[in-house]
Amino acid sequence: MNDRFLRACRREPTDVTPVWFMRQAGRYMPEYRALRAKHSMLEICKTPDLATEVTLQPLKLGVDAAILFADILLPLEPMGASFEFAKGEGPVIHEPITSRAQIEKLRVIDPTDGLQYVLDAIRSIKTALAGRVPLIGFAGAPFTLASYLIEGGKSAHFVKMKRFMYTEPEAWNLLCSKLAGVVRKFLHAQIEAGVDAVQLFDSWVGQLTPADYAEYVKPHVKHILQDVMKAGVPVIHFGTGTQHLLEEMRDAGGTVIGMDARTPFAEGWKRIGYDHAVQGNLDPTILFAPPELAKKHADRVLDAAAGRPGHIFNLGHGILPETPVETVQAVIEHVHARKLTKST
Amino acid sequence: MNDRFLRACRREPTDVTPVWFMRQAGRYMPEYRALRAKHSMLEICKTPDLATEVTLQPLKLGVDAAILFADILLPLEPMGASFEFAKGEGPVIHEPITSRAQIEKLRVIDPTDGLQYVLDAIRSIKTALAGRVPLIGFAGAPFTLASYLIEGGKSAHFVKMKRFMYTEPEAWNLLCSKLAGVVRKFLHAQIEAGVDAVQLFDSWVGQLTPADYAEYVKPHVKHILQDVMKAGVPVIHFGTGTQHLLEEMRDAGGTVIGMDARTPFAEGWKRIGYDHAVQGNLDPTILFAPPELAKKHADRVLDAAAGRPGHIFNLGHGILPETPVETVQAVIEHVHARKLTKST
């Protein structure tokens, strides 16, 4: 197996910096668009053969890890909160949460009860990968999942969620506890099914101040991560807009901390501490620049990492739908062309 | 005149911390909604009597400064880029910029040529204020204005703009130079018309890394601010998501630096330097919490400022449309109830 990714997660030296991109199996790839023309997003997620096909599509670009094709919202359906992906609008929760009574009705499911198709997909993908690269599993964190449940979909300012969180802290904690319970078990089940690492996406948590993070979010994330870390595979903890939360997120858990594109990388890693691996943090929009400029920006990230073992090259957030594939490939090749001759 | 605001801008001691809120004249106020039921946003901006009425509406809440009711996009129309405020969608630029040719056609207007109504509104507002509180004028910064011109409206990822900026840097610089030329003159004209301070809104500039800010934005902002600062009134330099840009923004210019809600306040001020005043940085969404909790969060900001002269209390970004007026008022009263007995 190409184990650069896993070695970097463990902060062991590697020949070159491993690279994978969040949402690397996605709409920017013609193969993916061709499949999406025939199947909905949820159909692909729920059909192990299709999920396997999509998960493997970006391998030809030379990435050092595959990430399970799925969606962070999948656990919500068996919990009792149905949703759909509305065309061009992103996820739409059918009955957004406005009351404690709705939270009480949410089921703390076992992954085998409603998410078996994800575990089946993992087994199918692992077989198809045949050990070429490691497979990353993932789940959404309670705050980010709660944001969809309460806002009903994407949100600019998260006003409904914050109003709920601030005015009904007990109901908020019940919601997050239920989500944390499901996510914890789901990540364990993914590891048992064969993933080689997991990533917890707390994509929107950067909306909070450090004090609010510590009060309303951290206990729930900690509950998940401190337990999942015992399973012995690398655990990546990721969010965006989290420059001010790096220490809090590190303390909540994770063996690898993700940094978004706006976090100065060298300073961020120093703050997190060199006893943690880090992942990031090329700006996804630089992939719309001429390839030479995108490579120059990739160099800035690599320069900031300074050859230190424990850096996984990635974007600061998911790859954007219209991204030119050739620039993605050029950046991957560029990262791989830089030999790591020494460690600092 | 209640000169707390101006004194704090100059880092002089004040009895209590001055407070005003970005977008304090806006949809959360019933008086404003009543007027908007009869007039469009642009009608209000273009009718000095109406702009005066709206500008003065929040005074009854006890704020220490008034801010001109206008919009950062107003200069675009006389420059040759027409737009409208589409219901529920925000601004829509009729012909988004996609080519250098369009940029070459933009007119570098004098404020009296197409923006006279703003200057008339300032004179009318100054008369109506009768010296009660200072009046703040404002303009949008080149990056933020360019984002609307190229994206055609609001944007999540600014892909069109960044693609343009990265692939056509010369055309980008021409665009920003033209915008900077207009904005510089517009701010000077506002000062001549009577505003007591000005704020430059670079609302979306936090999207850039420090290196890109320095390369693509800073020269243009510097061109504006270094010149406007010579006029002798306080100059506030504001953006959101700018935690990583504070030093760069300070160096570009401004006597007061705005901090958004995600910037840890004490650390931010230290990084900016105590030779600058600072403005901020209560999270606008905390105003949806129970008033007691909102006041507790206001205390955190005040505690971080530690009574040091040169703090203007504000939100980290504009007040949100559904914000309860009574919580806004409670926070203003709470800030004013804390005497500044000593300075550090």
Side-chain angles (χ1 to χ4, degrees):
Chain A
M1 190 196 276
N2 165 357
D3 68 346
R4 276 180 202 137
F5 165 78
L6 292 173
R7 290 180 64 85
C9 287
R10 297 189 296 254
R11 293 179 294 116
E12 294 166 8
T14 51
D15 55 343
V16 297
T17 303
V19 52
W20 71 280
F21 286 170
M22 287 180 272
R23 253 185 258 152
Q24 65 189 13
R27 197 139 64 88
Y28 74 106
M29 292 195 83
E31 301 89 325
Y32 176 82
R33 288 199 300 273
L35 208 73
R36 279 287 275 111
K38 289 182 282 182
H39 304 281
S40 75
M41 169 83 189
L42 282 177
E43 270 170 23
I44 299 176
C45 292
K46 292 183 175 183
T47 312
D49 282 354
L50 297 176
T52 301
E53 184 179 341
V54 171
T55 299
L56 267 63
Q57 282 172 349
L59 257 63
K60 68 172 193 179
L61 300 177
V63 290
D64 295 302
I67 181 162
L68 169 68
F69 187 82
D71 192 273
I72 60 166
L73 300 185
L74 296 178
L76 302 186
E77 192 178 53
M79 289 182 76
S82 65
F83 66 91
E84 65 189 286
F85 290 102
K87 202 166 172 115
E89 285 185 48
V92 175
I93 305 290
H94 293 142
E95 293 177 31
I97 287 179
T98 57
S99 70
R100 185 184 174 103
Q102 286 170 285
I103 295 168
E104 282 168 354
K105 277 185 209 154
L106 289 175
R107 291 185 289 276
V108 181
I109 53 149
D110 272 308
T112 47
D113 174 19
L115 292 166
Q116 185 60 46
Y117 63 86
V118 177
L119 308 177
D120 293 341
I122 289 169
R123 291 190 181 90
S124 160
I125 295 163
K126 280 296 287 183
T127 303
L129 280 172
R132 278 175 285 174
V133 293
L135 176 63
I136 305 167
F138 70 93
F143 177 89
T144 294
L145 294 176
S147 82
Y148 288 100
L149 283 172
I150 299 175
E151 296 288 336
K154 286 185 191 173
S155 175
H157 300 290
F158 300 93
V159 165
K160 289 177 194 163
M161 176 177 57
K162 288 203 184 169
R163 181 161 41 201
F164 192 89
M165 182 178 96
Y166 289 132
T167 56
E168 303 202 45
E170 285 181 20
W172 166 264
N173 279 322
L174 177 63
L175 173 59
C176 288
S177 296
K178 286 191 164 190
L179 291 167
V182 170
V183 167
R184 185 179 61 79
K185 286 195 279 187
F186 189 32
L187 289 174
H188 272 300
Q190 291 185 37
I191 294 166
E192 280 160 32
V195 300
D196 302 286
V198 291
Q199 176 157 327
L200 186 71
F201 283 86
D202 211 351
S203 307
W204 311 136
V205 79
Q207 290 291 327
L208 295 181
T209 60
D212 279 351
Y213 181 86
E215 181 169 351
Y216 297 98
V217 171
K218 195 176 178 181
H220 306 292
V221 173
K222 206 166 175 172
H223 173 79
I224 297 167
L225 293 180
Q226 296 299 325
D227 187 60
V228 171
M229 282 163 76
K230 291 177 193 156
V233 305
V235 177
I236 309 167
H237 187 185
F238 168 80
T240 66
T242 55
Q243 283 180 63
H244 53 302
L245 298 179
L246 293 178
E247 292 87 351
E248 289 287 348
M249 289 177 69
R250 172 203 64 202
D251 292 348
T255 55
V256 182
I257 306 297
M259 285 190 268
D260 83 342
R262 290 190 264 178
T263 305
F265 188 91
E267 182 200 319
W269 198 354
K270 193 176 168 192
R271 282 172 51 206
I272 291 163
Y274 301 126
D275 57 342
H276 281 71
V278 290
Q279 179 172 282
N281 72 341
L282 190 70
D283 186 339
T285 61
I286 196 66
L287 297 174
F288 293 87
E292 287 311 310
L293 186 57
K295 288 193 261 180
K296 188 177 140 191
H297 280 242
D299 276 333
R300 286 189 194 153
V301 176
L302 294 168
D303 290 346
R308 197 184 295 275
H311 174 216
I312 297 127
F313 189 95
N314 204 315
L315 301 178
H317 200 181
I319 203 163
L320 292 162
E322 313 292 326
T323 304
V325 180
E326 53 278 17
T327 312
V328 176
Q329 178 127 32
V331 167
I332 293 168
E333 286 168 6
H334 185 71
V335 174
H336 282 163
R338 265 180 69 150
K339 299 292 171 210
L340 294 170
T341 47
K342 55 174 180 174
S343 62
T344 50
Chain B
M1 192 196 274
N2 164 358
D3 67 347
R4 273 179 203 138
F5 165 76
L6 292 173
R7 289 180 63 85
C9 288
R10 296 189 298 254
R11 293 179 293 117
E12 294 166 7
T14 51
D15 55 342
V16 298
T17 303
V19 52
W20 71 279
F21 285 171
M22 286 178 275
R23 254 185 257 156
Q24 64 189 15
R27 197 139 63 90
Y28 74 106
M29 292 195 81
E31 301 89 325
Y32 176 82
R33 288 198 301 272
L35 208 73
R36 280 285 277 110
K38 288 182 283 181
H39 304 282
S40 75
M41 169 83 187
L42 282 177
E43 271 170 23
I44 299 176
C45 292
K46 292 182 174 184
T47 312
D49 282 355
L50 296 176
T52 302
E53 184 178 341
V54 171
T55 299
L56 268 63
Q57 281 173 349
L59 257 63
K60 68 172 194 179
L61 301 177
V63 290
D64 295 301
I67 181 162
L68 169 67
F69 187 81
D71 192 273
I72 60 166
L73 300 186
L74 296 178
L76 302 185
E77 192 179 51
M79 288 182 76
S82 65
F83 66 91
E84 65 190 284
F85 291 103
K87 205 169 169 115
E89 286 185 47
V92 176
I93 305 289
H94 293 143
E95 292 177 31
I97 286 179
T98 57
S99 70
R100 185 184 173 104
Q102 285 169 286
I103 295 168
E104 283 169 354
K105 278 187 207 154
L106 289 176
R107 291 185 290 274
V108 181
I109 54 148
D110 273 308
T112 49
D113 174 20
L115 293 165
Q116 185 60 47
Y117 63 86
V118 176
L119 309 177
D120 293 342
I122 289 169
R123 291 191 179 90
S124 162
I125 296 162
K126 281 296 285 183
T127 303
L129 280 172
R132 279 175 286 173
V133 293
L135 176 63
I136 304 167
F138 70 92
F143 177 88
T144 295
L145 294 176
S147 82
Y148 288 100
L149 283 171
I150 299 175
E151 296 287 337
K154 286 186 192 172
S155 174
H157 301 290
F158 301 92
V159 165
K160 289 177 194 162
M161 175 176 59
K162 288 203 184 168
R163 179 159 43 199
F164 193 88
M165 183 179 94
Y166 289 131
T167 56
E168 303 202 46
E170 286 182 20
W172 166 264
N173 279 324
L174 178 63
L175 173 59
C176 289
S177 296
K178 287 191 163 193
L179 291 167
V182 170
V183 166
R184 184 179 62 79
K185 288 196 275 186
F186 189 32
L187 289 174
H188 272 300
Q190 291 184 37
I191 295 166
E192 280 160 30
V195 300
D196 303 288
V198 291
Q199 177 158 326
L200 185 72
F201 283 87
D202 211 351
S203 307
W204 311 136
V205 79
Q207 291 290 328
L208 295 181
T209 60
D212 279 351
Y213 181 87
E215 181 169 350
Y216 297 99
V217 171
K218 195 177 179 182
H220 306 292
V221 173
K222 206 166 175 176
H223 172 79
I224 297 166
L225 292 180
Q226 297 299 325
D227 187 59
V228 171
M229 282 163 78
K230 292 176 193 158
V233 305
V235 177
I236 309 168
H237 187 184
F238 168 80
T240 67
T242 55
Q243 283 180 64
H244 53 303
L245 299 179
L246 292 178
E247 292 87 351
E248 289 287 348
M249 289 178 69
R250 172 204 63 201
D251 292 347
T255 54
V256 182
I257 306 296
M259 284 190 270
D260 84 341
R262 289 190 263 178
T263 305
F265 188 92
E267 183 200 318
W269 198 354
K270 192 175 169 192
R271 282 172 49 207
I272 291 162
Y274 301 124
D275 56 342
H276 281 71
V278 290
Q279 179 173 282
N281 74 340
L282 189 72
D283 186 338
T285 60
I286 195 66
L287 296 174
F288 293 88
E292 287 311 309
L293 186 57
K295 288 193 262 181
K296 188 177 140 193
H297 280 242
D299 276 333
R300 286 188 195 153
V301 176
L302 293 168
D303 290 347
R308 197 184 295 275
H311 174 216
I312 297 128
F313 190 94
N314 204 317
L315 302 178
H317 199 180
I319 202 164
L320 292 161
E322 312 292 326
T323 304
V325 181
E326 52 277 18
T327 312
V328 175
Q329 178 127 34
V331 167
I332 293 169
E333 286 169 6
H334 185 71
V335 173
H336 282 162
R338 265 180 68 149
K339 299 293 171 211
L340 294 170
T341 48
K342 55 173 180 172
S343 62
T344 49

